[in-house]
Amino acid sequence: MPGAIYAEGLVKTFGDVRALDGVDLDVPEGAVLGLLGPNGAGKTTAVRCLTTLLRPDSGKAVVAGVDVLRHPDAVRRSIGLSGQFAAVDEYLTGRENLQMVGQLYQMRAKAAKARAAELLEQFHLVDAADRPAKTYSGGMRRRLDLAAALVVSPPVMFMDEPTTGLDPRNRQQLWEVIKQLVSGGTTLLLTTQYLEEADHLAHDIAVVDHGRVIAQGTSDELKARTGGERVEVVVQDRERMATAAEVLRGFGKGETAVEEHTRRLTVPVTGGAKLLAEIIRELDTRGIGIDDIGLRRPTLDDVFLSLTGHAAQGADGDQPDAPGERKTRDERSERNERNGKEAVK
């Protein structure tokens, strides 16, 4: 039986670009699926198809037991969506924005007002509740947008990079809200560029590249697939990094990753602490000073690198999946930046 979110063979093209090339997903009720992938891999396009904002060219999609293509209105009544950009009316106050959303969902005025007050408290917006949203900082707008997506406590939630623009404290607060939602039975599909976020929240992770799901499993399963341990070395002298990389290649079981700006080198190994001691001795013999060295398990970033050929990019570097949207996104970014400068933080 399909899960609360189910997709089979979803295909979506934009001219010559195949944004989705046969995506399959199955998210059990009450679970969190983290959707990861390089910029332009198809994550946002998949979310838009599943939430009825785009119609796929072919394939099947079922959300909350309802066929997305046949009954889109019924799907919309069963879901909440927080997109990449805050969709709030900047001329209304935070409280008015939330009450408006409640009334659009046909809540009685009194119930909408009570729910707005509850969400303002939950998202730490009480002090700014009666100020126009255009005076909010970027992080506050993001929290208000997320609160609006939760006005009707939907059984299925879609969050497209929900913590973009939030500081670490607010990100942690949102993680707690997400955990509460899921513990109450909500099913969540989460796209994110913060790998630690997927590691922390998702029961299952699907890695998307070139419009296809190329790997899926729990965080531990994906890390095990990458295999082995990693030695990380931070070299004191940037000019000695090439020599240090040569040393690591002699001990490693794969490609050595080099981060010039941090003077950090990482290589997959087998052999544990004994091998680490040998590497330290060889670096010392070559006269290579180090600031730090350690042995660690693979991270989701290592998984990303091994599956897609490069490390995950931060959310600020993300590009839209669908052609023709870059200009719109840039205009929004410029507007948000202007508003952020004017905001009362």
Side-chain angles (χ1 to χ4, degrees):
M1 182 176 178
I5 302 172
Y6 178 78
E8 182 181 334
L10 282 187
V11 173
K12 182 64 182 177
T13 59
F14 299 94
D16 295 333
V17 178
R18 204 170 178 86
L20 297 181
D21 191 18
V23 167
D24 298 325
L25 298 171
D26 193 356
V27 189
E29 185 175 339
V32 180
L33 175 69
L35 207 58
L36 303 182
N39 298 333
K43 305 182 301 296
T44 296
T45 301
V47 168
R48 289 172 178 166
C49 287
L50 291 167
T51 56
T52 77
L53 297 177
L54 282 176
R55 186 177 181 88
D57 300 328
S58 61
K60 179 180 181 181
V62 178
V63 174
V66 181
D67 190 297
V68 173
L69 300 180
R70 293 180 180 177
H71 307 290
D73 289 341
V75 170
R76 293 178 195 128
R77 288 192 290 269
S78 301
I79 65 173
L81 169 63
S82 176
Q84 289 187 11
F85 302 98
V88 299
D89 188 322
E90 61 183 23
Y91 293 101
L92 298 180
T93 68
R95 190 185 308 278
E96 288 168 344
N97 265 282
L98 297 181
Q99 290 178 193
M100 176 185 69
V101 172
Q103 290 176 316
L104 287 173
Y105 275 102
Q106 300 181 346
M107 294 175 67
R108 293 183 180 276
K110 184 176 181 180
K113 184 176 181 180
R115 181 59 174 159
E118 181 182 339
L119 288 167
L120 289 166
E121 180 74 32
Q122 187 174 17
F123 282 86
H124 305 279
L125 290 170
V126 173
D127 291 342
D130 298 309
R131 293 208 321 255
K134 66 180 179 180
T135 67
Y136 284 17
S137 67
M140 292 167 68
R141 283 167 172 256
R142 193 64 179 144
R143 281 183 279 154
L144 181 61
D145 180 67
L146 291 166
L150 298 173
V151 166
V152 294
S153 302
V156 178
M157 273 291 300
F158 294 86
M159 293 186 175
D160 196 2
E161 299 188 17
T163 59
T164 298
L166 297 185
D167 59 40
R169 181 175 63 87
N170 284 321
R171 188 177 302 161
Q172 290 281 348
Q173 289 173 349
L174 178 60
W175 288 359
E176 292 305 313
V177 171
I178 290 173
K179 288 179 180 177
Q180 292 172 16
L181 282 173
V182 176
S183 66
T186 299
T187 304
L188 173 64
L189 189 149
L190 168 80
T191 77
T192 180
Q193 291 286 354
Y194 299 115
L195 298 182
E196 75 275 15
E197 186 163 272
D199 214 352
H200 190 75
L201 295 174
H203 299 109
D204 215 24
I205 296 170
V207 182
V208 180
D209 198 18
H210 299 295
R212 288 179 172 270
V213 176
I214 60 174
Q216 186 166 353
T218 66
S219 176
D220 286 342
E221 287 169 349
L222 291 176
K223 291 173 185 177
R225 174 173 173 170
T226 304
E229 299 167 306
R230 301 292 187 273
V231 168
E232 282 189 348
V233 180
V234 179
V235 179
Q236 286 180 354
D237 187 350
R238 196 181 305 276
E239 295 180 356
R240 302 304 307 276
M241 289 184 67
T243 306
E246 180 184 334
V247 170
L248 292 181
R249 279 195 292 271
F251 291 95
K253 299 297 181 182
E255 184 179 350
T256 300
V258 179
E259 298 178 17
E260 290 283 349
H261 64 292
T262 60
R263 309 186 312 280
R264 185 183 305 274
L265 300 97
T266 306
V267 65
V269 298
T270 56
K274 182 179 179 181
L275 182 69
L276 183 63
E278 293 177 13
I279 292 173
I280 293 172
R281 282 195 295 270
E282 182 63 21
L283 290 170
D284 186 56
T285 299
R286 299 280 194 104
I288 301 171
I290 58 175
D291 286 337
D292 193 18
I293 187 168
L295 189 70
R296 63 166 175 78
R297 292 183 60 213
T299 65
L300 280 181
D301 216 352
D302 298 318
V303 173
F304 227 91
L305 182 62
S306 66
L307 292 173
T308 67
H310 58 79
Q313 294 170 308
D316 290 341
D318 196 22
Q319 295 294 334
D321 294 315
E325 293 181 359
R326 180 174 299 184
K327 182 178 179 182
T328 301
R329 178 167 186 156
D330 290 344
E331 288 171 348
R332 285 174 175 170
S333 297
E334 290 172 6
R335 185 172 68 246
N336 287 343
E337 184 177 352
R338 289 196 303 270
N339 290 335
K341 290 178 180 178
E342 299 169 356
V344 179
K345 297 187 178 180

